[in-house]
Amino acid sequence: MENPFSLDGKTILVTGASSGIGRQTAISCSRAGARVVLLGRDETRLQQTLAAINSPDLHLVYAVDLLDYDVVGKMLKEAVSQVGSLHGLVNAAGISTTLPLKLLSPEKMDHFFRTNVHSAIQLTKLFIKHAAQNNDGASVIFLSSVMGMVGEMGKTIYSLTKGALIAGARSLALELATRNVRVNTISPGVVVTPMSQSAVYSQDEESLNRVKSLHPLGLGKPEDVANACIFLLSDAARWVTGTNLVVDGGYTAR
Ligand SMILES: NC(=O)c1ccc[n+]([C@@H]2O[C@H](COP(=O)([O-])OP(=O)(O)OC[C@H]3O[C@@H](n4cnc5c(N)ncnc54)[C@H](OP(=O)(O)O)[C@@H]3O)[C@@H](O)[C@H]2O)c1
């Protein structure tokens, strides 16, 4: 019997593939049968991801800053010329911070929106135009966060960007349904990655224990989010669009 969760025959573009959740998503997608196109800025860490992937020769790696829209456009065209159409896009690249209101400058806000929102929307636009040209449709995922759904002290700027992704993905899902492109967000709680390890709460044991205690199932692993991505990318989710899949160890259950 065919496995509906298999990614056999699919090609998936993953941003943030040089670290954390994006890296694990790329590795897990390859194990589920996909060919992957890896995007990140740090060439060395991208190559480390590639080294952990099945059949490294099959996959493509591009070191690119997602804010360089011209370079990203050229990269995507080049990738499509090599792999043909693409079936999935995981927008995992992102940045986080903890800042009180008095430190929220317009420049900071702009940088966060450009990195977490604009670059992902721009890449999705290019993906739809150049890449998702196949009869099987496609799946687009945005990595949001529980901070896009509930609040936390000092998380205003991050929450604004993550909430924007949840809201925007719903409208995009409606707009792209006729083209058989599904659009969803995933909202993780705290996952152990370089991002969370460099967060303010990870710098002292008391704060880290407080954050841990807010997750009834403990902190997440990158695999927990990668598996959710595999589901949404696979044919098992063929009727799932415009939704926000919460993967948070129970953080938002209370
Ligand atoms: N970890 C968590 O607890 C958690 C919880 C909820 C949601 N999330 C979300 O999940 C996603 C992945 O987080 P993570 O924990 O895996 O973070 P991470 O380990 O810090 O990795 C972030 C990735 O984003 C890439 N990136 C950032 N800015 C970029 C840019 N301008 N152009 C290209 N790539 C860029 C980085 O590339 P380089 O390293 O190559 O520069 C890196 O690969 C993020 O969107 C984050 O907001 C994380």
Side-chain angles (χ1 to χ4, degrees), residues 15-23 39-43 45-46 64-68 72 91-96 111 114-116 119 142-147 158 161-162 165 186-198 201 215 220 222 225 247:
T15 74
S18 51
S19 182
I21 291 170
R23 167 179 279 174
L39 262 67
R41 283 178 301 197
D42 189 295
E43 175 83 46
R45 282 189 279 103
L46 278 171
V64 61
D65 188 326
L66 288 170
L67 299 178
D68 290 341
V72 172
N91 289 294
I95 51 175
S96 177
H111 180 61
R114 285 197 301 128
T115 305
N116 286 359
S119 72
F142 295 96
L143 256 299
S144 180
S145 162
V146 290
M147 292 299 130
Y158 185 64
T161 62
K162 293 300 176 179
L165 292 174
I186 295 177
S187 288
V190 172
V191 178
V192 179
T193 70
M195 178 184 279
S196 61
Q197 285 167 328
S198 65
Y201 55 74
H215 295 75
V225 182
V247 183

Side-chain angles (χ1 to χ4, degrees), residues 34-207:
R35 184 178 198 182
V36 285
V37 181
L38 314 180
L39 262 67
R41 283 178 301 197
D42 189 295
E43 175 83 46
T44 307
R45 282 189 279 103
L46 278 171
Q47 290 300 335
Q48 287 166 358
T49 306
L50 186 65
I53 283 184
N54 293 344
S55 324
D57 293 347
L58 191 65
H59 313 287
L60 300 180
V61 172
Y62 295 94
V64 61
D65 188 326
L66 288 170
L67 299 178
D68 290 341
Y69 297 148
D70 290 346
V71 178
V72 172
K74 285 183 192 133
M75 175 282 301
L76 200 67
K77 271 193 186 160
E78 214 272 319
V80 170
S81 73
Q82 290 204 45
V83 300
S85 68
L86 294 165
H87 306 88
L89 166 61
V90 181
N91 289 294
I95 51 175
S96 177
T97 190
T98 305
L99 279 181
L101 179 63
K102 63 182 176 192
L103 296 180
L104 293 189
S105 65
E107 292 75 24
K108 268 258 178 258
M109 304 266 287
D110 191 49
H111 180 61
F112 267 77
F113 267 94
R114 285 197 301 128
T115 305
N116 286 359
V117 182
H118 299 188
S119 72
I121 296 296
Q122 179 63 17
L123 181 62
T124 301
K125 192 171 152 187
L126 293 169
F127 172 81
I128 299 300
K129 185 172 171 197
H130 298 294
Q133 306 290 351
N134 62 74
N135 295 331
D136 304 331
S139 171
V140 176
I141 300 170
F142 295 96
L143 256 299
S144 180
S145 162
V146 290
M147 292 299 130
M149 305 163 59
V150 297
E152 184 59 67
M153 298 265 284
K155 285 292 174 191
T156 304
I157 193 170
Y158 185 64
S159 296
L160 280 166
T161 62
K162 293 300 176 179
L165 292 174
I166 295 172
R170 292 200 184 104
S171 291
L172 260 186
L174 297 177
E175 185 173 331
L176 298 176
T178 52
R179 301 176 68 162
N180 199 16
V181 177
R182 297 180 293 103
V183 184
N184 296 286
T185 49
I186 295 177
S187 288
V190 172
V191 178
V192 179
T193 70
M195 178 184 279
S196 61
Q197 285 167 328
S198 65
V200 179
Y201 55 74
S202 294
Q203 306 317 310
D204 71 272
E205 210 173 323
E206 195 185 330
S207 304

